[in-house]
Coordinates of all heavy atoms in Angstrom, one line a residue:
T1 N 23.3 -102.2 66.2 CA 22.6 -101.6 67.3 C 23.6 -101.5 68.5 O 24.7 -102.0 68.4 CB 21.5 -102.6 67.8 OG1 22.0 -103.9 68.2 CG2 20.4 -102.8 66.8
R2 N 23.3 -100.7 69.5 CA 24.2 -100.5 70.6 C 23.4 -100.8 71.9 O 22.3 -100.4 72.1 CB 24.7 -99.0 70.6 CG 25.6 -98.7 69.4 CD 26.4 -97.4 69.6 NE 27.2 -97.1 68.5 CZ 28.4 -97.6 68.2 NH1 28.9 -98.5 69.1 NH2 29.1 -97.2 67.2
E3 N 24.1 -101.5 72.8 CA 23.5 -101.9 74.0 C 24.4 -101.5 75.2 O 25.6 -101.8 75.2 CB 23.3 -103.5 74.0 CG 22.4 -103.9 75.2 CD 22.0 -105.4 75.0 OE1 22.6 -106.1 74.1 OE2 21.1 -105.9 75.7
C4 N 23.8 -100.7 76.1 CA 24.5 -100.1 77.2 C 24.1 -100.7 78.5 O 22.9 -100.8 78.8 CB 24.3 -98.6 77.2 SG 24.6 -97.8 75.6
F5 N 25.1 -101.0 79.4 CA 24.8 -101.5 80.7 C 25.5 -100.4 81.7 O 26.7 -100.3 81.7 CB 25.4 -102.9 80.9 CG 24.7 -103.9 80.1 CD1 25.1 -104.2 78.8 CD2 23.6 -104.6 80.6 CE1 24.4 -105.1 78.0 CE2 23.0 -105.6 79.9 CZ 23.4 -105.8 78.6
V6 N 24.6 -99.8 82.4 CA 25.0 -98.6 83.2 C 24.8 -98.7 84.7 O 23.7 -99.1 85.1 CB 24.3 -97.3 82.6 CG1 24.8 -96.1 83.4 CG2 24.5 -97.2 81.1
V7 N 25.8 -98.4 85.5 CA 25.6 -98.3 86.9 C 25.5 -96.8 87.3 O 26.5 -96.0 87.1 CB 26.9 -98.9 87.6 CG1 26.6 -98.8 89.2 CG2 27.1 -100.3 87.2
A8 N 24.4 -96.4 87.8 CA 24.1 -95.0 88.1 C 24.4 -94.8 89.6 O 24.2 -95.7 90.4 CB 22.7 -94.6 87.8
A9 N 24.8 -93.6 89.9 CA 25.0 -93.2 91.3 C 23.6 -93.2 92.0 O 22.6 -93.0 91.4 CB 25.7 -91.9 91.4
E10 N 23.6 -93.4 93.3 CA 22.4 -93.4 94.1 C 21.8 -92.0 94.0 O 22.4 -91.0 94.2 CB 22.7 -93.7 95.6 CG 21.4 -93.8 96.4 CD 21.7 -94.3 97.8 OE1 22.9 -94.6 98.1 OE2 20.8 -94.3 98.7
G11 N 20.5 -92.0 93.6 CA 19.8 -90.8 93.5 C 19.9 -90.1 92.2 O 19.3 -89.0 91.9
A12 N 20.8 -90.6 91.3 CA 21.0 -90.0 90.0 C 19.7 -90.0 89.1 O 18.9 -91.0 89.3 CB 22.1 -90.7 89.2
D13 N 19.5 -89.1 88.3 CA 18.4 -89.0 87.4 C 18.6 -90.0 86.2 O 19.3 -89.6 85.2 CB 18.2 -87.6 86.9 CG 16.9 -87.4 86.0 OD1 16.4 -88.4 85.6 OD2 16.6 -86.2 85.8
K14 N 18.1 -91.2 86.3 CA 18.3 -92.2 85.2 C 17.7 -91.8 83.9 O 18.3 -92.1 82.8 CB 17.7 -93.5 85.7 CG 18.5 -94.1 86.9 CD 17.9 -95.5 87.3 CE 18.7 -96.1 88.4 NZ 18.2 -97.4 88.8
A15 N 16.6 -91.1 83.9 CA 15.9 -90.6 82.7 C 16.9 -89.7 82.0 O 17.0 -89.7 80.7 CB 14.6 -90.0 83.0
R16 N 17.5 -88.7 82.7 CA 18.4 -87.8 82.1 C 19.6 -88.5 81.5 O 20.1 -88.2 80.4 CB 18.9 -86.7 83.1 CG 20.0 -85.8 82.6 CD 20.5 -84.9 83.7 NE 21.1 -85.7 84.8 CZ 22.3 -86.3 84.8 NH1 23.0 -86.3 83.7 NH2 22.7 -86.9 85.9
I17 N 20.2 -89.5 82.3 CA 21.3 -90.2 81.8 C 21.0 -91.0 80.5 O 21.8 -90.9 79.6 CB 21.8 -91.2 82.9 CG1 22.4 -90.4 84.1 CG2 22.9 -92.2 82.4 CD1 22.7 -91.3 85.3
E18 N 19.9 -91.6 80.5 CA 19.5 -92.4 79.3 C 19.3 -91.4 78.1 O 19.8 -91.7 77.0 CB 18.2 -93.1 79.5 CG 17.7 -93.9 78.3 CD 16.6 -94.9 78.6 OE1 16.1 -94.8 79.8 OE2 16.1 -95.6 77.7
R19 N 18.7 -90.3 78.4 CA 18.5 -89.3 77.3 C 19.9 -88.8 76.8 O 20.1 -88.6 75.5 CB 17.7 -88.1 77.8 CG 17.3 -87.1 76.8 CD 16.2 -86.2 77.3 NE 16.6 -85.5 78.5 CZ 16.1 -85.7 79.7 NH1 15.2 -86.6 79.9 NH2 16.5 -85.0 80.7
E20 N 20.8 -88.5 77.7 CA 22.1 -88.0 77.2 C 22.9 -89.1 76.4 O 23.6 -88.8 75.5 CB 23.0 -87.6 78.5 CG 22.5 -86.3 79.1 CD 23.5 -85.8 80.1 OE1 24.7 -86.0 79.9 OE2 23.1 -85.2 81.1
I21 N 22.7 -90.4 76.8 CA 23.3 -91.4 76.0 C 22.8 -91.6 74.6 O 23.5 -91.5 73.6 CB 23.2 -92.8 76.8 CG1 24.0 -92.8 78.1 CG2 23.7 -94.0 75.9 CD1 23.7 -94.0 79.0
V22 N 21.4 -91.7 74.5 CA 20.8 -92.0 73.2 C 20.9 -90.9 72.2 O 20.8 -91.0 71.0 CB 19.4 -92.5 73.4 CG1 19.3 -93.8 74.2 CG2 18.5 -91.5 73.9
T23 N 21.1 -89.6 72.8 CA 21.2 -88.5 71.9 C 22.6 -88.0 71.7 O 22.8 -87.0 71.0 CB 20.3 -87.3 72.4 OG1 20.9 -86.9 73.7 CG2 18.9 -87.7 72.6
M24 N 23.6 -88.7 72.2 CA 25.0 -88.2 72.1 C 25.5 -88.3 70.7 O 25.6 -89.3 70.0 CB 25.9 -89.1 73.0 CG 27.3 -88.6 73.2 SD 28.3 -89.7 74.2 CE 27.5 -89.7 75.7
P25 N 25.9 -87.1 70.1 CA 26.3 -87.1 68.7 C 27.7 -87.9 68.6 O 28.5 -87.9 69.5 CB 26.5 -85.6 68.4 CG 26.4 -84.9 69.7 CD 25.9 -85.8 70.7
N26 N 27.9 -88.5 67.4 CA 29.1 -89.2 67.0 C 29.2 -90.6 67.8 O 30.0 -91.4 67.4 CB 30.4 -88.4 67.3 CG 30.4 -87.1 66.5 OD1 30.1 -87.1 65.3 ND2 30.8 -86.0 67.1
Y27 N 28.4 -90.8 68.8 CA 28.5 -92.0 69.5 C 27.2 -92.9 69.4 O 27.2 -94.0 69.1 CB 28.8 -91.7 71.0 CG 30.2 -91.3 71.2 CD1 30.6 -90.0 71.1 CD2 31.2 -92.3 71.5 CE1 32.0 -89.7 71.3 CE2 32.5 -92.0 71.7 CZ 32.9 -90.6 71.6 OH 34.2 -90.3 71.8
F28 N 26.0 -92.3 69.8 CA 24.8 -93.1 69.9 C 23.6 -92.5 69.1 O 22.7 -93.3 68.8 CB 24.4 -93.2 71.4 CG 25.4 -93.9 72.2 CD1 26.3 -93.1 73.0 CD2 25.5 -95.3 72.2 CE1 27.2 -93.8 73.8 CE2 26.5 -95.9 73.0 CZ 27.3 -95.2 73.8
A29 N 23.7 -91.3 68.7 CA 22.5 -90.6 68.1 C 22.0 -91.3 66.8 O 20.8 -91.3 66.5 CB 22.7 -89.1 67.9
D30 N 22.9 -91.9 66.1 CA 22.6 -92.5 64.8 C 22.2 -94.0 64.9 O 22.1 -94.6 63.8 CB 23.7 -92.3 63.8 CG 23.9 -90.8 63.5 OD1 23.0 -90.0 63.6 OD2 25.1 -90.5 63.2
Y31 N 22.1 -94.5 66.1 CA 21.9 -96.0 66.3 C 20.7 -96.2 67.1 O 20.3 -95.4 68.0 CB 23.1 -96.6 67.0 CG 24.4 -96.5 66.2 CD1 25.2 -95.3 66.4 CD2 24.8 -97.5 65.4 CE1 26.4 -95.2 65.7 CE2 26.0 -97.4 64.7 CZ 26.8 -96.2 64.9 OH 28.0 -96.1 64.2
D32 N 20.0 -97.4 66.9 CA 19.0 -97.8 67.9 C 19.8 -98.3 69.1 O 20.6 -99.3 69.1 CB 18.2 -99.0 67.3 CG 17.3 -98.6 66.2 OD1 16.9 -97.4 66.2 OD2 17.0 -99.4 65.3
T33 N 19.6 -97.6 70.2 CA 20.4 -97.8 71.5 C 19.5 -98.2 72.6 O 18.5 -97.5 72.9 CB 21.2 -96.5 71.8 OG1 22.0 -96.1 70.7 CG2 22.0 -96.7 73.1
T34 N 19.9 -99.3 73.3 CA 19.1 -99.7 74.5 C 20.0 -99.5 75.7 O 21.2 -99.9 75.7 CB 18.8 -101.2 74.3 OG1 18.1 -101.4 73.1 CG2 18.0 -101.7 75.5
V35 N 19.4 -98.9 76.7 CA 20.2 -98.6 78.0 C 19.6 -99.5 79.1 O 18.4 -99.4 79.4 CB 20.1 -97.2 78.4 CG1 20.8 -96.9 79.7 CG2 20.7 -96.3 77.2
H36 N 20.4 -100.3 79.8 CA 20.0 -101.1 80.9 C 20.7 -100.5 82.2 O 21.9 -100.4 82.1 CB 20.4 -102.6 80.8 CG 20.0 -103.2 79.5 ND1 18.7 -103.7 79.3 CD2 20.6 -103.4 78.3 CE1 18.6 -104.2 78.1 NE2 19.7 -104.0 77.5
F37 N 20.0 -100.2 83.2 CA 20.6 -99.8 84.5 C 20.7 -101.0 85.4 O 19.7 -101.7 85.6 CB 19.7 -98.7 85.1 CG 19.8 -97.4 84.4 CD1 18.8 -97.0 83.5 CD2 20.9 -96.6 84.6 CE1 18.9 -95.8 82.9 CE2 21.0 -95.4 84.0 CZ 20.0 -95.0 83.1
I38 N 21.9 -101.3 85.8 CA 22.2 -102.5 86.6 C 23.1 -102.1 87.8 O 23.5 -100.9 87.9 CB 23.0 -103.6 85.8 CG1 24.3 -103.0 85.3 CG2 22.1 -104.1 84.6 CD1 25.1 -104.1 84.5
T39 N 23.3 -103.0 88.7 CA 24.1 -102.7 89.9 C 25.6 -102.9 89.6 O 25.9 -103.6 88.6 CB 23.7 -103.7 91.1 OG1 24.1 -105.0 90.7 CG2 22.2 -103.6 91.4
M40 N 26.4 -102.4 90.4 CA 27.9 -102.6 90.2 C 28.2 -104.1 90.3 O 29.1 -104.6 89.6 CB 28.7 -101.8 91.3 CG 30.2 -101.8 91.1 SD 30.7 -100.9 89.6 CE 30.5 -99.2 90.2
E41 N 27.6 -104.8 91.2 CA 27.8 -106.2 91.3 C 27.5 -107.0 90.0 O 28.2 -107.9 89.6 CB 27.0 -106.8 92.5 CG 27.5 -106.4 93.9 CD 27.1 -104.9 94.2 OE1 26.2 -104.4 93.5 OE2 27.8 -104.3 95.0
E42 N 26.4 -106.6 89.4 CA 26.0 -107.2 88.1 C 27.0 -106.9 87.0 O 27.3 -107.8 86.2 CB 24.6 -106.8 87.7 CG 23.5 -107.4 88.6 CD 22.1 -106.8 88.3 OE1 22.0 -105.5 88.1 OE2 21.1 -107.5 88.2
L43 N 27.5 -105.7 87.0 CA 28.4 -105.3 86.0 C 29.7 -106.1 86.1 O 30.2 -106.6 85.1 CB 28.7 -103.8 86.1 CG 29.6 -103.2 85.0 CD1 28.7 -103.0 83.7 CD2 30.2 -101.9 85.4

């Protein structure tokens, strides 16, 4: 499985970012992928 911790820019479309991650060929499309949006401090 793949687990992603992502810091998004203020106002960024998180749904679009998550969609681009989980459907990315050769990287994530073939895996069960979980995306967590967190703050820069948490990262």
Side-chain angles (χ1 to χ4, degrees):
T1 58
R2 296 195 181 276
E3 193 167 12
C4 310
F5 295 85
V6 180
V7 180
E10 186 175 352
D13 184 344
K14 293 181 179 179
R16 174 189 56 79
I17 292 172
E18 181 173 2
R19 187 167 58 250
E20 287 192 34
I21 292 172
V22 300
T23 60
M24 190 183 297
N26 299 318
Y27 284 88
F28 299 100
D30 296 330
Y31 299 85
D32 289 336
T33 301
T34 305
V35 178
H36 307 276
F37 289 98
I38 60 176
T39 66
M40 187 66 78
E41 291 72 22
E42 288 173 317
L43 188 75

